[in-house]
PDB file of all heavy atoms in Angstrom:
ATOM      1  N   MET A 283      70.460  91.161-162.372  1.00  0.00           N
ATOM      2  CA  MET A 283      69.411  91.864-163.116  1.00  0.00           C
ATOM      3  C   MET A 283      68.449  92.510-162.135  1.00  0.00           C
ATOM      4  O   MET A 283      67.508  91.869-161.659  1.00  0.00           O
ATOM      5  CB  MET A 283      68.664  90.875-164.014  1.00  0.00           C
ATOM      6  CG  MET A 283      69.567  89.906-164.751  1.00  0.00           C
ATOM      7  SD  MET A 283      70.696  90.775-165.835  1.00  0.00           S
ATOM      8  CE  MET A 283      69.890  90.482-167.360  1.00  0.00           C
ATOM      9  N   VAL A 284      68.724  93.759-161.818  1.00  0.00           N
ATOM     10  CA  VAL A 284      67.944  94.455-160.798  1.00  0.00           C
ATOM     11  C   VAL A 284      66.841  95.302-161.438  1.00  0.00           C
ATOM     12  O   VAL A 284      65.916  95.743-160.777  1.00  0.00           O
ATOM     13  CB  VAL A 284      68.866  95.341-159.922  1.00  0.00           C
ATOM     14  CG1 VAL A 284      68.167  95.731-158.634  1.00  0.00           C
ATOM     15  CG2 VAL A 284      70.175  94.632-159.603  1.00  0.00           C
ATOM     16  N   ALA A 285      66.948  95.527-162.747  1.00  0.00           N
ATOM     17  CA  ALA A 285      66.002  96.439-163.410  1.00  0.00           C
ATOM     18  C   ALA A 285      64.566  95.970-163.264  1.00  0.00           C
ATOM     19  O   ALA A 285      64.282  94.776-163.290  1.00  0.00           O
ATOM     20  CB  ALA A 285      66.354  96.564-164.889  1.00  0.00           C
ATOM     21  N   VAL A 287      61.994  95.821-165.344  1.00  0.00           N
ATOM     22  CA  VAL A 287      61.693  95.918-166.779  1.00  0.00           C
ATOM     23  C   VAL A 287      60.169  95.895-166.954  1.00  0.00           C
ATOM     24  O   VAL A 287      59.489  95.067-166.341  1.00  0.00           O
ATOM     25  CB  VAL A 287      62.309  94.718-167.529  1.00  0.00           C
ATOM     26  CG1 VAL A 287      62.092  94.848-169.029  1.00  0.00           C
ATOM     27  CG2 VAL A 287      63.787  94.564-167.197  1.00  0.00           C
ATOM     28  N   ALA A 288      59.656  96.794-167.778  1.00  0.00           N
ATOM     29  CA  ALA A 288      58.199  96.791-168.019  1.00  0.00           C
ATOM     30  C   ALA A 288      57.832  95.491-168.719  1.00  0.00           C
ATOM     31  O   ALA A 288      58.503  95.076-169.672  1.00  0.00           O
ATOM     32  CB  ALA A 288      57.822  97.985-168.889  1.00  0.00           C
ATOM     33  N   ASP A 289      56.782  94.838-168.242  1.00  0.00           N
ATOM     34  CA  ASP A 289      56.385  93.557-168.840  1.00  0.00           C
ATOM     35  C   ASP A 289      55.699  93.761-170.185  1.00  0.00           C
ATOM     36  O   ASP A 289      55.720  92.889-171.034  1.00  0.00           O
ATOM     37  CB  ASP A 289      55.441  92.810-167.896  1.00  0.00           C
ATOM     38  CG  ASP A 289      56.165  92.368-166.633  1.00  0.00           C
ATOM     39  OD1 ASP A 289      57.277  91.829-166.775  1.00  0.00           O
ATOM     40  OD2 ASP A 289      55.647  92.578-165.527  1.00  0.00           O
ATOM     41  N   PRO A 317      60.207  91.399-174.276  1.00  0.00           N
ATOM     42  CA  PRO A 317      61.110  90.245-174.059  1.00  0.00           C
ATOM     43  C   PRO A 317      61.476  90.165-172.586  1.00  0.00           C
ATOM     44  O   PRO A 317      61.589  91.197-171.915  1.00  0.00           O
ATOM     45  CB  PRO A 317      62.342  90.596-174.903  1.00  0.00           C
ATOM     46  CG  PRO A 317      62.286  92.074-175.094  1.00  0.00           C
ATOM     47  CD  PRO A 317      60.825  92.451-175.066  1.00  0.00           C
ATOM     48  N   ASP A 318      61.639  88.950-172.060  1.00  0.00           N
ATOM     49  CA  ASP A 318      62.116  88.795-170.687  1.00  0.00           C
ATOM     50  C   ASP A 318      63.643  88.689-170.745  1.00  0.00           C
ATOM     51  O   ASP A 318      64.193  87.703-171.241  1.00  0.00           O
ATOM     52  CB  ASP A 318      61.501  87.554-170.033  1.00  0.00           C
ATOM     53  CG  ASP A 318      61.813  87.544-168.546  1.00  0.00           C
ATOM     54  OD1 ASP A 318      63.004  87.524-168.182  1.00  0.00           O
ATOM     55  OD2 ASP A 318      60.859  87.598-167.753  1.00  0.00           O
ATOM     56  N   ILE A 319      64.289  89.731-170.267  1.00  0.00           N
ATOM     57  CA  ILE A 319      65.755  89.829-170.440  1.00  0.00           C
ATOM     58  C   ILE A 319      66.458  88.744-169.610  1.00  0.00           C
ATOM     59  O   ILE A 319      67.367  88.066-170.099  1.00  0.00           O
ATOM     60  CB  ILE A 319      66.239  91.239-170.041  1.00  0.00           C
ATOM     61  CG1 ILE A 319      65.535  92.269-170.935  1.00  0.00           C
ATOM     62  CG2 ILE A 319      67.752  91.345-170.162  1.00  0.00           C
ATOM     63  CD1 ILE A 319      65.736  93.709-170.511  1.00  0.00           C
ATOM     64  N   LEU A 320      65.991  88.569-168.363  1.00  0.00           N
ATOM     65  CA  LEU A 320      66.625  87.569-167.487  1.00  0.00           C
ATOM     66  C   LEU A 320      66.523  86.167-168.106  1.00  0.00           C
ATOM     67  O   LEU A 320      67.528  85.444-168.208  1.00  0.00           O
ATOM     68  CB  LEU A 320      65.945  87.616-166.108  1.00  0.00           C
ATOM     69  CG  LEU A 320      66.393  86.607-165.054  1.00  0.00           C
ATOM     70  CD1 LEU A 320      67.890  86.677-164.811  1.00  0.00           C
ATOM     71  CD2 LEU A 320      65.645  86.826-163.739  1.00  0.00           C
ATOM     72  N   GLY A 335      68.636  87.215-160.328  1.00  0.00           N
ATOM     73  CA  GLY A 335      67.489  88.062-160.647  1.00  0.00           C
ATOM     74  C   GLY A 335      66.930  88.680-159.383  1.00  0.00           C
ATOM     75  O   GLY A 335      67.241  88.242-158.268  1.00  0.00           O
ATOM     76  N   PHE A 336      66.122  89.698-159.538  1.00  0.00           N
ATOM     77  CA  PHE A 336      65.385  90.284-158.424  1.00  0.00           C
ATOM     78  C   PHE A 336      63.910  89.966-158.629  1.00  0.00           C
ATOM     79  O   PHE A 336      63.479  89.793-159.772  1.00  0.00           O
ATOM     80  CB  PHE A 336      65.605  91.803-158.365  1.00  0.00           C
ATOM     81  CG  PHE A 336      66.740  92.184-157.449  1.00  0.00           C
ATOM     82  CD1 PHE A 336      68.029  91.783-157.725  1.00  0.00           C
ATOM     83  CD2 PHE A 336      66.497  92.949-156.309  1.00  0.00           C
ATOM     84  CE1 PHE A 336      69.075  92.114-156.875  1.00  0.00           C
ATOM     85  CE2 PHE A 336      67.536  93.280-155.454  1.00  0.00           C
ATOM     86  CZ  PHE A 336      68.826  92.874-155.731  1.00  0.00           C
ATOM     87  N   ALA A 337      63.169  89.875-157.570  1.00  0.00           N
ATOM     88  CA  ALA A 337      61.737  89.668-157.724  1.00  0.00           C
ATOM     89  C   ALA A 337      61.009  90.659-156.841  1.00  0.00           C
ATOM     90  O   ALA A 337      61.262  90.729-155.641  1.00  0.00           O
ATOM     91  CB  ALA A 337      61.354  88.246-157.330  1.00  0.00           C
ATOM     92  N   ALA A 338      60.169  91.457-157.473  1.00  0.00           N
ATOM     93  CA  ALA A 338      59.349  92.413-156.721  1.00  0.00           C
ATOM     94  C   ALA A 338      57.986  91.759-156.530  1.00  0.00           C
ATOM     95  O   ALA A 338      57.314  91.440-157.506  1.00  0.00           O
ATOM     96  CB  ALA A 338      59.220  93.690-157.536  1.00  0.00           C
ATOM     97  N   GLU A 339      57.615  91.512-155.281  1.00  0.00           N
ATOM     98  CA  GLU A 339      56.364  90.802-155.019  1.00  0.00           C
ATOM     99  C   GLU A 339      55.563  91.549-153.966  1.00  0.00           C
ATOM    100  O   GLU A 339      56.130  92.187-153.082  1.00  0.00           O
ATOM    101  CB  GLU A 339      56.656  89.377-154.482  1.00  0.00           C
ATOM    102  CG  GLU A 339      57.620  88.551-155.305  1.00  0.00           C
ATOM    103  CD  GLU A 339      57.047  88.090-156.640  1.00  0.00           C
ATOM    104  OE1 GLU A 339      55.837  88.270-156.867  1.00  0.00           O
ATOM    105  OE2 GLU A 339      57.814  87.581-157.471  1.00  0.00           O
ATOM    106  N   LYS A 350      59.807  81.783-159.565  1.00  0.00           N
ATOM    107  CA  LYS A 350      60.426  82.660-160.564  1.00  0.00           C
ATOM    108  C   LYS A 350      61.867  82.220-160.869  1.00  0.00           C
ATOM    109  O   LYS A 350      62.323  82.277-161.995  1.00  0.00           O
ATOM    110  CB  LYS A 350      60.420  84.094-160.013  1.00  0.00           C
ATOM    111  CG  LYS A 350      60.380  85.165-161.059  1.00  0.00           C
ATOM    112  CD  LYS A 350      60.081  86.535-160.449  1.00  0.00           C
ATOM    113  CE  LYS A 350      58.594  86.858-160.449  1.00  0.00           C
ATOM    114  NZ  LYS A 350      58.317  88.199-159.911  1.00  0.00           N
ATOM    115  N   ARG A 353      61.506  79.250-163.145  1.00  0.00           N
ATOM    116  CA  ARG A 353      60.907  79.605-164.432  1.00  0.00           C
ATOM    117  C   ARG A 353      61.869  80.406-165.300  1.00  0.00           C
ATOM    118  O   ARG A 353      61.963  80.208-166.497  1.00  0.00           O
ATOM    119  CB  ARG A 353      59.628  80.422-164.168  1.00  0.00           C
ATOM    120  CG  ARG A 353      58.787  80.652-165.389  1.00  0.00           C
ATOM    121  CD  ARG A 353      57.425  81.248-165.044  1.00  0.00           C
ATOM    122  NE  ARG A 353      57.522  82.633-164.610  1.00  0.00           N
ATOM    123  CZ  ARG A 353      57.184  83.076-163.404  1.00  0.00           C
ATOM    124  NH1 ARG A 353      56.728  82.243-162.491  1.00  0.00           N
ATOM    125  NH2 ARG A 353      57.293  84.354-163.098  1.00  0.00           N
ATOM    126  N   LYS A 354      62.640  81.302-164.649  1.00  0.00           N
ATOM    127  CA  LYS A 354      63.502  82.197-165.433  1.00  0.00           C
ATOM    128  C   LYS A 354      64.918  81.643-165.604  1.00  0.00           C
ATOM    129  O   LYS A 354      65.728  82.234-166.306  1.00  0.00           O
ATOM    130  CB  LYS A 354      63.549  83.576-164.779  1.00  0.00           C
ATOM    131  CG  LYS A 354      62.182  84.264-164.751  1.00  0.00           C
ATOM    132  CD  LYS A 354      62.307  85.760-164.645  1.00  0.00           C
ATOM    133  CE  LYS A 354      60.940  86.417-164.692  1.00  0.00           C
ATOM    134  NZ  LYS A 354      61.018  87.836-165.039  1.00  0.00           N
TER     135      LYS A 354
HETATM  136  N1  LIG B   1      62.950  90.846-165.853  1.00  0.00           N
HETATM  137  C1  LIG B   1      63.526  90.898-167.093  1.00  0.00           C
HETATM  138  N2  LIG B   1      62.771  91.182-168.194  1.00  0.00           N
HETATM  139  C2  LIG B   1      61.451  91.406-168.071  1.00  0.00           C
HETATM  140  C3  LIG B   1      60.845  91.351-166.791  1.00  0.00           C
HETATM  141  C4  LIG B   1      61.629  91.075-165.690  1.00  0.00           C
HETATM  142  O1  LIG B   1      64.737  90.677-167.207  1.00  0.00           O
HETATM  143  N3  LIG B   1      60.749  91.685-169.150  1.00  0.00           N
HETATM  144  C5  LIG B   1      63.789  90.483-164.697  1.00  0.00           C
HETATM  145  C6  LIG B   1      63.980  91.568-163.674  1.00  0.00           C
HETATM  146  O2  LIG B   1      65.130  92.352-163.946  1.00  0.00           O
HETATM  147  C7  LIG B   1      64.138  90.776-162.388  1.00  0.00           C
HETATM  148  C8  LIG B   1      63.292  89.550-162.633  1.00  0.00           C
HETATM  149  O3  LIG B   1      63.132  89.446-164.039  1.00  0.00           O
HETATM  150  O4  LIG B   1      65.459  90.334-162.210  1.00  0.00           O
HETATM  151  C9  LIG B   1      61.940  89.520-162.005  1.00  0.00           C
HETATM  152  O5  LIG B   1      61.228  90.669-162.220  1.00  0.00           O
HETATM  153  P1  LIG B   1      59.716  90.829-161.719  1.00  0.00           P
HETATM  154  O6  LIG B   1      59.209  92.125-162.240  1.00  0.00           O
HETATM  155  O7  LIG B   1      59.592  90.553-160.278  1.00  0.00           O
HETATM  156  O8  LIG B   1      59.072  89.593-162.417  1.00  0.00           O
HETATM  157  P2  LIG B   1      58.086  89.469-163.581  1.00  0.00           P
HETATM  158  O9  LIG B   1      58.723  88.744-164.699  1.00  0.00           O
HETATM  159  O10 LIG B   1      57.516  90.798-163.915  1.00  0.00           O
HETATM  160  O11 LIG B   1      57.012  88.498-162.938  1.00  0.00           O
HETATM  161  P3  LIG B   1      55.549  88.792-162.427  1.00  0.00           P
HETATM  162  O12 LIG B   1      55.074  90.033-163.109  1.00  0.00           O
HETATM  163  O13 LIG B   1      54.841  87.565-162.831  1.00  0.00           O
HETATM  164  O14 LIG B   1      55.702  88.936-160.948  1.00  0.00           O
END
Side-chain angles (χ1 to χ4, degrees):
M283 316 299 257
V284 197
V287 184
D289 293 314
D318 190 300
I319 300 170
L320 177 56
F336 267 63
E339 309 289 351
K350 208 168 267 182
R353 190 170 71 243
K354 297 203 177 199

